[in-house]
Amino acid sequence: MLSMLMSNLQGMVYCCLLDADWTMVFVSEGCRALTGYSSEELLFNKRISYEELTLAEDRLWVRRLIEKAAHARKKFDLEYRIVHADGSVHWVQESGFPLFNDHGELVALEGFIQDVTARKRSEQAARDAEARYRSIFENAIEGIYQTTPSGQYLDFNPALARIYGYASTQDLRNGISDIQRQLYVDPEKRGEYIAIMQANGEVRNFEAQVYRKNGDIIWITENAREVRDRDGRLLFYEGTVEDISERKYYEQQIEYQATHDMLTGLPNRTVLSDRLQQAINFTARYDNILAVAFVDLDQFKFINDSMGHHVGDSLLVVMAERLAQCVRDSDTVVRLGGDEFVLLLCSLQKIEDISHSMQRILAAVATPCTIDGLEFVVSCSIGISVYPGDGQEAGTLLKHADSAMYKAKQLGRNNFQFYTRELNQVLTERMAIEYRLRHAIENAEFLLYYQPKIELASGRICGAEALIRWQPPDGALISPLSFIPIAEETGQIEQIGRWVLQQACLAANRFQQILGRPLPVAVNVSPRQFRQRDLIGTIAATLAATQVAAHTVELEITESCLAHDTPQFIKTLHGLKALGLTLAIDDFGTGYSSMAYLKDFPVDRLKIDKAFVGNLEHESTDAAILKAIIALGHSLGLKVVAEGVETEQQSAYLLQNGCDEAQGYWFGQPLAEAEFCALLTSR
Ligand SMILES: Nc1nc2c(ncn2[C@@H]2O[C@@H]3COP(=O)(O)O[C@H]4[C@@H](O)[C@H](n5cnc6c(=O)[nH]c(N)nc65)O[C@@H]4COP(=O)(O)O[C@H]3[C@H]2O)c(=O)[nH]1
């Protein structure tokens, strides 16, 4: 029974001598499975000794250990390697004890050797895996941690210490004992983390701001999960930490750029509707008033074009700062683009509050400011719509504020206007004009009227100004004052301008036939026309086609046009002059005249604005200005023409002060061509 038991054992029972070969005197059946040799081959070292079976590297220490135990009369238990008959190396575990004879002399060893290669391999694999994971843990770039649910670290890797700015893991261990209070900038964050963990068993991409050791704040993202034991009891949280400060910084930069105006730092158009909607919701909830103010700088385009964009930019920055200072922190100032801003004034109690704010803004904007050593004064026009009275929705409020701003512009700038229904009516009409204008040229709805120009000294008609009229098929004549500014804005003026010049040239031919001498005809050129590409080419072609001598055509250019003292502008002026045309400055005295430009530009005439002439009898300053302009014109070798002469006294004053020519109802209204021809014939 004993031999059966031994043969069934997974291993070899042995008895060996304590000699140099570990000579086996007994081995059980398990010998073959263990060593690959039969028991006969091993017994008494017939074919191989156990010493030889033992792996060479292990022989010495195995022998030392066993001999030491045996001499100490103790059991021994050890693991080492043997070389199997097939050449493979196997791990074995040997347990044995020494045997003594009756005299107490050590005579042999007895024991059991079993193959433990499989266990050894899995232990080794486990060790390798542990080493690998440890290496990942130690060398990871991400921080890895285990914490108690109450917020104490159980374990973490060097990367976590590095991310949090600690010199070593020990430094971090000493530094943070309570994650909630010491780590998170907002201590509420830990509560949030726990709540998500409790609900889902994990936390994903949890972003938070944390303090580094030196007090700097960084952004991190955490991914973590609960770790539970077999019975489901929560052991700890385990997770990773990544420093995402750089990403956050770029995200914030991108968001800032998308939502802010780079020049002024103000929120931009993209955020306007959101902010306005928030303001509406807030105002509705607290039953307050909300004002939407559209602010447009009056002289900005002029300064920008004439002084250069860097001055324009600096001016916008100053104005943006002033606007922001005029409102409360809870209000919003948005730069829409160009020189347009929108202000959202919240939590107002009464309409008068708005007026006060607007007066403050007008005054702040109009305060002189110095840029590059030059002093500038600009004003602004403001249109206001009020929630809830002028509209319930963001879009409507903005549209109405914009309309009111147009009204403020029309009323002479530097003022603010509230939106009204009547105003809306006016703007609707404006849109209708814009629409109908598109067909006016092809439907031949335009006419040219001619107003005589008189040489004051002789009383002779010395020229005519062509003035456009619009005769729609279904209505009264429309004044150019109503549609030229619209045509300017839409660009239709370029087409209209070409038509006017062509008609005026054809008329000049007819006038010449009547008079037997050329009669100069003046046409108005608006600022946009002036900037049109190939203006010179178009005019030259028209002159050639109509066979009109260039010196009979005069171009009236308004002062605001002249403000564009760019090289291109001067080049155009010289080009026109080179064609042989006469050039006149129209509405002189109303614009932003710098007398300085007059001497540099090749112009022939100054046309004094009718505002000075009309007030001549009542305003002594206007009379003085008139005199000065005439003198100035003459000193520069220019002819001076007065517009809007309505009375005999005005005519006399102008003659007396040396004005060369005049135009006005006193001498003749603008007339349709047939009537004007009749006038020429009658003279
Ligand atoms: N109160 C008063 N007004 C007088 C008197 N004599 C003439 N006027 C008006 O004064 C305006 C003079 O033309 P403007 O200053 O060039 O001002 C013109 C000019 O800037 C523009 N415009 C007219 N025709 C054209 C055109 O063909 N092309 C362009 N681009 N603009 C034009 O429209 C403006 C207004 O033209 P109109 O309504 O025809 O008004 C004309 C004329 O009818 C007077 O004694 N008293």
Side-chain angles (χ1 to χ4, degrees), residues 288-294 326-328 331 343-362 382-390 416-419:
N288 289 329
I289 297 174
L290 161 72
V292 180
F294 229 94
C326 285
V327 301
R328 290 180 295 189
D331 297 335
L343 275 52
L344 307 179
L345 309 184
C346 307
S347 315
L348 299 167
Q349 300 304 320
K350 46 190 191 312
I351 295 285
E352 292 80 70
D353 294 346
I354 305 177
S355 304
H356 292 144
S357 298
M358 295 306 135
Q359 266 147 6
R360 240 188 358 256
I361 290 168
L362 287 178
I382 310 176
I384 305 143
S385 66
V386 178
Y387 173 87
D390 295 337
F416 62 91
Q417 295 297 318
F418 285 92
Y419 170 79

Side-chain angles (χ1 to χ4, degrees), residues 351-572:
I351 295 285
E352 292 80 70
D353 294 346
I354 305 177
S355 304
H356 292 144
S357 298
M358 295 306 135
Q359 266 147 6
R360 240 188 358 256
I361 290 168
L362 287 178
V365 169
T367 310
C369 72
T370 308
I371 296 166
D372 283 357
L374 294 171
E375 190 172 84
F376 292 91
V377 182
V378 290
S379 57
C380 65
S381 303
I382 310 176
I384 305 143
S385 66
V386 178
Y387 173 87
D390 295 337
Q392 303 284 319
E393 286 152 17
T396 317
L397 288 166
L398 282 171
K399 198 173 84 189
H400 289 174
D402 190 18
S403 313
M405 194 274 291
Y406 266 95
K407 184 177 156 202
K409 285 260 181 232
Q410 279 168 2
L411 289 177
R413 298 150 198 260
N414 196 22
N415 73 102
F416 62 91
Q417 295 297 318
F418 285 92
Y419 170 79
T420 60
R421 281 187 202 292
E422 300 76 62
L423 170 60
N424 203 26
Q425 178 74 21
V426 171
L427 284 148
T428 314
E429 279 163 19
R430 193 196 122 98
M431 277 165 62
I433 290 191
E434 194 178 316
Y435 176 75
R436 286 161 60 208
L437 255 182
R438 288 192 210 139
H439 307 287
I441 292 196
E442 55 222 62
N443 295 347
E445 291 172 14
F446 290 122
L447 303 170
L448 277 192
Y449 272 36
Y450 297 90
Q451 185 174 36
K453 280 193 200 172
I454 308 297
E455 188 180 60
L456 279 171
S458 64
R460 266 184 359 137
I461 297 180
C462 61
E465 178 177 359
L467 293 158
I468 196 166
R469 300 288 177 265
W470 179 11
Q471 175 66 78
D474 51 354
L477 271 188
I478 302 179
S479 149
L481 294 174
S482 314
F483 68 87
I484 291 288
I486 299 174
E488 258 278 299
E489 267 174 45
T490 59
Q492 289 157 314
I493 192 70
E494 294 186 8
Q495 202 189 355
I496 295 175
R498 279 193 292 275
W499 180 86
V500 168
L501 183 68
Q502 192 198 30
Q503 295 304 309
C505 287
L506 294 173
N509 283 337
R510 293 189 281 267
F511 300 155
Q512 181 164 0
Q513 271 171 12
I514 294 171
L515 288 176
R517 61 175 165 90
L519 182 77
V521 177
V523 292
N524 290 280
V525 178
S526 69
R528 176 145 181 179
Q529 266 177 282
F530 205 85
R531 290 196 296 273
Q532 128 193 9
R533 276 199 292 136
D534 199 30
L535 176 74
I536 298 170
T538 312
I539 294 178
T542 310
L543 293 176
T546 53
Q547 297 201 318
V548 170
H551 64 89
T552 42
V553 177
E554 178 170 303
L555 299 186
E556 294 192 2
I557 303 155
T558 52
E559 255 189 300
S560 55
C561 225
L562 289 173
H564 299 264
D565 61 344
T566 55
Q568 181 55 40
F569 171 76
I570 295 171
K571 209 171 137 206
T572 308

